[in-house]
Amino acid sequence: MRIPYEWIKEFVDWPGSEAEMADALTMAGNEVDGIRDGVFDFKLTPNRGDCASVVGLAREAAALCGQTLKEPEIGVPESDEEAARVTRVEIRAPDLCPRYAARILRGVKVGPSPEWIQKRITAAGMRPVNNVVDVTNYVMLEMGQPLHAFDLSKLEEQRIVVRTAEPGEKITTLDGHERQLDPSILVIADARVPIAIAGIMGGKDTEVTDDTQDILLESAHFNPQTVRVGARKLELPSAASYRFERGVDPELVPRAIDRAAGLLAELAGARVARGVVDQYPKPPAPITVTLRPSRCNRMLGTQFTASEMVGALEALQLPVRALHRGTASEESIQVHVPTFRWDLRLEEDLIEEVGRIMGYDRIPEALPNDDLEGSLSPSLQSQLLLRGALVSSGLVEANTHSMVSHAEAIRLVAGEPLPPRNPVSEEYAVLRPSLLPGLLKAVAHNSRFGRRAAHFFEVGRVWTLKSPDSAGQGPDGYTEHTTVAAVMMGHRMAGHWNLKPVPLETDFYAAKGVLEFLLAQARVSGVEFRPLPSQGFHPGRSAEMWVGDRRLGRLGQIHPEVQEALDLPLPVYAFEVEVTALQELAQEPEYDPLSRFPAVTRDLAILLPAETPASRVAAIIHQAGQPFLEDEELFDLYTGERLGPDTKSLAFSLTLRSREGTLTDAQAESALAAIRQALAEQAGATFR
């Protein structure tokens, strides 16, 4: 938003330079992003609609320099004709349009506006059109209240109806484009059809032209959310919607329309009909907020007096209704919140106002008190543990965008992803159903800069379908949850000046090792890796993780087609795990004292059907070898012509130990016999 410095000075006697005003306003929360030819470029926060005007910024400047705000001069010479006899206003959606006012102006001479108006609105980034349109824009910039002028002769029955659009209705807006409307969009209509999109843009059919003689001037207050939804849905941002979305003072409605009517009488020769047709069915209830000086000082770390706080609030035109004296802890200030500050609803809001007007430089630096209550939630504690495990495994944490392109999403997750109502661009068209698309983009970005090794992880939220049939149900068909994911490409260990480079390329088992360490740190055991293909993964080098009937996630090599699409020089291995599942399956640690007795080790070579997972074999061994089996470790896999294509050999090293005494050969052989029998019965194993 661009506003000339000299225009602000018209309403406040600023004692310093334009640079000093820019610095003061910026430090008070109204950021000046730059100054060019005496024009400030402001970046306003979404809650400060009161500052989206010259007067609003002058109010801030006056409070900062201790001056009095000057208000615009308003005077309306009225004719004998009564506006109420010419038009009437009907509000059918009072929740969406709390107030609507109209004035009737006759005999308007449409032509160029004076040079001083053209210069000011041009400096503010708007294009001069004619004196009628320029005056409405001038008043909007000056006071913050958007206005619109209709050609009265083009209104059916010369009346206004504020309503939601009917299904199938259309309107051609002032930019010449036809817009399809629906009931979520508020419109201004005459007795028959829409003539404007409320708070956004007027219609082409009722615009003011050189032939216009009589106009209906509109000044209204619209619900910010309604305007925001309409502007996004129609992809039609405007200077008016910019202000309505941030919140406009409903009490500005009659003042702004009178200001514009007076200027049009002066600059366009208009005869202003007597009175304003003003519909205001539900004025907002007065709001009073209590500020306790003791709490204000405690939060800011200051020693401001109650009188200083009152002075800061009154400088912002926040009326103080009462100041209750007593001890320091008993003092309280009752503040009546004016309608132009809709964002002030809590005591903390007033504390912020005191702090920024008194000056952030007056707030001393101090460490936080050590009596703060609260602690990390179990969810955050779990996420910190996962981050620590992956960092200690040599991975680097990444933070990727929560939105990805549609093509990136369906490469790695089956099912239709969830699109927002108004996508930012094709690159960010859907909410991510997985963390992997963003992480793979990070790997590709590093690869383009010559890095052949990249090991990243992320903990973040994803949005996935509840079921394959819920794709057409909108947001209700999706679930939001947190996952942890990692991608690994290239060397796992770099060379050093006194070490030879070790070519440890990442492979499936390296990624699986990192994942198993992560699971161990999360205290999740009994995980079974099932060789099931997953979208975007290599069909022969991927697996899903299960604990019983609970799916944890997936692991494997990224599909070569995805690797080629991203132009990655080496294979990439990845995994993704649901954090909620890890939390729910985590086991409480138990103390297991070391045995005083020696262990016995035995090796067991097993012949099995080729499709039998090693994890299933290990589970059978572990269960059958109790109570003496302490550990089982796979140390060899053999396949070859001697065994045939349907058979493989697995070799396990078994650690046996007794808690009650030195393990005897008979006890060891008994445990081995039980293991062999279980493997033969449950897995069809034979032994070498």
Side-chain angles (χ1 to χ4, degrees):
M1 184 184 74
R2 289 156 51 184
I3 298 292
Y5 166 68
E6 291 297 332
W7 199 353
I8 300 175
K9 280 195 65 177
E10 187 174 305
F11 299 103
V12 58
D13 294 326
W14 180 256
S17 65
E18 66 179 33
E20 289 172 330
M21 179 186 283
D23 289 342
L25 289 172
T26 297
M27 289 302 296
N30 300 291
E31 181 183 355
V32 178
D33 195 35
I35 308 174
R36 184 175 181 180
D37 298 330
V39 178
F40 293 165
D41 189 359
F42 286 96
K43 293 176 66 176
L44 298 183
T45 55
N47 65 316
R48 293 307 303 272
D50 61 299
C51 290
S53 65
V54 177
V55 172
L57 293 166
R59 182 188 295 112
E60 292 282 304
L64 294 168
C65 69
Q67 299 294 325
T68 302
L69 176 69
K70 303 175 185 178
E71 298 285 351
E73 295 182 3
I74 299 176
V76 185
E78 295 182 324
S79 67
D80 292 335
E81 183 181 25
E82 291 187 16
R85 292 183 175 273
V86 179
T87 188
R88 63 188 180 90
V89 173
E90 179 186 357
I91 301 177
R92 295 181 183 173
D95 292 338
L96 308 182
C97 176
R99 189 172 195 177
Y100 192 101
R103 266 195 178 277
I104 301 299
L105 286 77
R106 301 281 196 185
V108 178
K109 298 178 179 62
V110 179
S113 56
E115 184 180 1
W116 63 272
I117 283 187
Q118 292 193 37
K119 282 185 175 180
R120 282 192 166 175
I121 64 176
T122 300
M126 305 192 79
R127 178 178 60 87
V129 179
N130 56 50
N131 50 4
V132 175
V133 174
D134 292 352
V135 163
T136 61
N137 287 334
Y138 182 89
V139 174
M140 177 186 68
L141 292 167
E142 181 183 69
M143 303 182 72
Q145 172 64 52
L147 304 168
H148 187 71
F150 299 101
D151 187 322
L152 184 64
S153 66
K154 298 175 182 178
L155 302 185
E156 189 76 19
E157 298 182 12
Q158 296 187 343
R159 66 187 180 95
I160 294 293
V161 179
V162 185
R163 59 174 174 82
T164 56
E166 299 290 341
E169 279 191 319
K170 298 179 181 179
I171 183 174
T172 300
T173 46
L174 289 171
D175 59 1
H177 294 284
E178 185 179 72
R179 310 283 177 177
Q180 182 71 47
L181 306 176
D182 62 53
S184 69
I185 297 173
L186 187 69
V187 298
I188 311 301
D190 59 14
R192 187 171 56 88
V193 295
I195 57 174
I197 303 172
I200 301 174
M201 188 174 288
K204 187 76 173 175
D205 293 340
T206 56
E207 73 173 326
V208 172
T209 66
D210 292 344
D211 298 327
T212 298
Q213 295 183 355
D214 301 333
I215 65 174
L216 183 147
L217 189 61
E218 166 197 282
S219 180
H221 181 76
F222 300 113
N223 179 283
Q225 184 176 0
T226 300
V227 176
R228 186 181 304 113
V229 168
R232 300 297 185 276
K233 180 171 290 188
L234 298 173
E235 298 181 357
L236 188 61
S238 65
S241 67
Y242 176 87
R243 287 160 175 81
F244 279 123
E245 288 179 25
R246 282 162 170 75
V248 178
D249 179 10
E251 297 302 322
L252 265 181
V253 168
R255 293 173 54 214
I257 202 171
D258 284 350
R259 171 70 166 153
L263 287 173
L264 288 172
E266 176 186 347
L267 304 176
R271 300 189 308 276
V272 184
R274 187 169 69 252
V276 180
V277 180
D278 186 3
Q279 294 295 319
Y280 197 12
K282 295 181 180 180
I287 295 176
T288 300
V289 179
T290 300
L291 172 65
R292 293 166 291 176
S294 59
R295 187 162 188 268
C296 180
N297 281 323
R298 187 167 66 253
M299 290 192 70
L300 296 178
T302 54
Q303 297 294 325
F304 298 144
T305 66
S307 297
E308 287 178 312
M309 296 179 192
V310 169
L313 296 171
E314 290 182 336
L316 288 168
Q317 295 187 331
L318 304 178
V320 175
R321 300 184 64 180
L323 171 57
H324 299 289
R325 296 286 186 178
T327 64
S329 61
E330 294 173 343
E331 285 184 325
S332 65
I333 303 170
Q334 301 292 321
V335 179
H336 173 69
V337 180
T339 51
F340 66 82
R341 288 306 303 271
W342 63 269
D343 58 314
L344 303 180
R345 294 294 182 268
L346 305 173
E347 184 179 22
E348 289 78 5
D349 298 330
L350 296 180
I351 292 173
E352 181 182 4
E353 297 302 295
V354 170
R356 67 186 190 86
I357 297 303
M358 296 298 294
Y360 292 133
D361 57 328
R362 295 183 62 184
I363 299 176
E365 296 180 2
L367 292 173
N369 294 330
D370 58 3
D371 59 351
L372 296 176
E373 297 181 359
S375 61
L376 293 177
S377 66
S379 175
L380 287 177
Q381 290 178 356
S382 175
Q383 291 180 34
L384 286 175
L385 182 145
L386 299 177
R387 287 186 170 96
L390 292 170
V391 168
S392 66
S393 298
L395 278 68
V396 176
E397 184 170 10
N399 286 290
T400 64
H401 206 287
S402 61
M403 299 180 72
V404 296
S405 71
H406 186 271
E408 291 168 340
I410 62 176
R411 271 190 200 135
L412 290 155
V413 178
E416 192 65 22
L418 175 62
R421 288 184 177 178
N422 297 288
V424 177
S425 64
E426 289 187 7
E427 185 180 4
Y428 303 108
V430 296
L431 289 168
R432 62 186 181 192
S434 165
L435 298 178
L436 295 179
L439 290 173
L440 288 173
K441 284 179 69 175
V443 173
H445 180 77
N446 278 259
S447 176
R448 286 194 293 272
F449 282 86
R451 293 185 61 88
R452 292 179 60 84
H455 302 78
F456 300 136
F457 79 90
E458 183 174 8
V459 181
R461 294 183 178 275
V462 298
W463 291 262
T464 57
L465 282 168
K466 292 179 179 178
S467 69
D469 300 329
S470 59
Q473 300 175 13
D476 293 337
Y478 293 78
T479 180
E480 177 183 350
H481 51 99
T482 302
T483 65
V484 54
V487 292
M488 303 171 64
M489 180 189 77
H491 290 297
R492 296 169 52 210
M493 185 183 297
H496 198 263
W497 68 270
N498 64 346
L499 295 174
K500 293 182 180 179
V502 182
L504 290 176
E505 294 286 350
T506 299
D507 57 13
F508 178 89
Y509 297 104
K512 183 170 179 282
V514 173
L515 175 59
E516 288 177 331
F517 177 71
L518 178 74
L519 296 173
Q521 293 297 105
R523 303 194 305 276
V524 175
S525 60
V527 178
E528 181 183 355
F529 292 87
R530 301 178 185 175
L532 298 175
S534 183
Q535 180 81 1
F537 282 75
H538 193 298
R541 301 173 187 173
S542 60
E544 287 189 342
M545 295 160 276
W546 294 78
V547 176
D549 59 355
R550 181 70 179 272
R551 182 182 181 275
L552 279 182
R554 53 187 179 156
L555 158 74
Q557 179 185 339
I558 296 300
H559 200 287
E561 292 179 356
V562 178
Q563 177 186 337
E564 183 180 358
L566 294 172
D567 195 22
L568 297 172
L570 297 170
V572 180
Y573 295 85
F575 62 79
E576 186 165 24
V577 184
E578 290 190 21
V579 173
T580 302
L582 291 178
Q583 294 169 352
E584 295 176 354
L585 294 170
Q587 299 174 349
E588 290 297 325
E590 296 182 0
Y591 173 67
D592 188 13
L594 294 175
S595 174
R596 297 184 295 110
F597 304 104
V600 174
T601 59
R602 295 285 190 273
D603 292 343
L604 184 64
I606 314 165
L607 297 177
L608 295 150
E611 68 275 7
T612 306
S615 59
R616 183 178 172 220
V617 177
I620 295 172
I621 292 173
H622 185 81
Q623 183 176 11
Q626 300 305 315
F628 298 130
L629 182 66
E630 189 174 81
D631 188 31
E632 66 281 345
E633 182 178 356
L634 176 68
F635 69 87
D636 186 56
L637 163 66
Y638 174 77
T639 58
E641 295 181 358
R642 295 190 332 187
L643 296 180
D646 299 328
T647 305
K648 66 181 177 181
S649 173
L650 298 178
F652 283 84
S653 176
L654 309 181
T655 301
L656 304 166
R657 193 194 306 264
S658 172
R659 297 282 180 176
E660 299 176 353
T662 300
L663 192 71
T664 65
D665 288 342
Q667 289 173 320
E669 288 303 322
S670 174
L672 287 172
I675 291 171
R676 290 190 183 96
Q677 181 179 353
L679 288 171
E681 293 176 353
Q682 299 179 39
T686 58
F687 304 93
R688 297 163 61 186

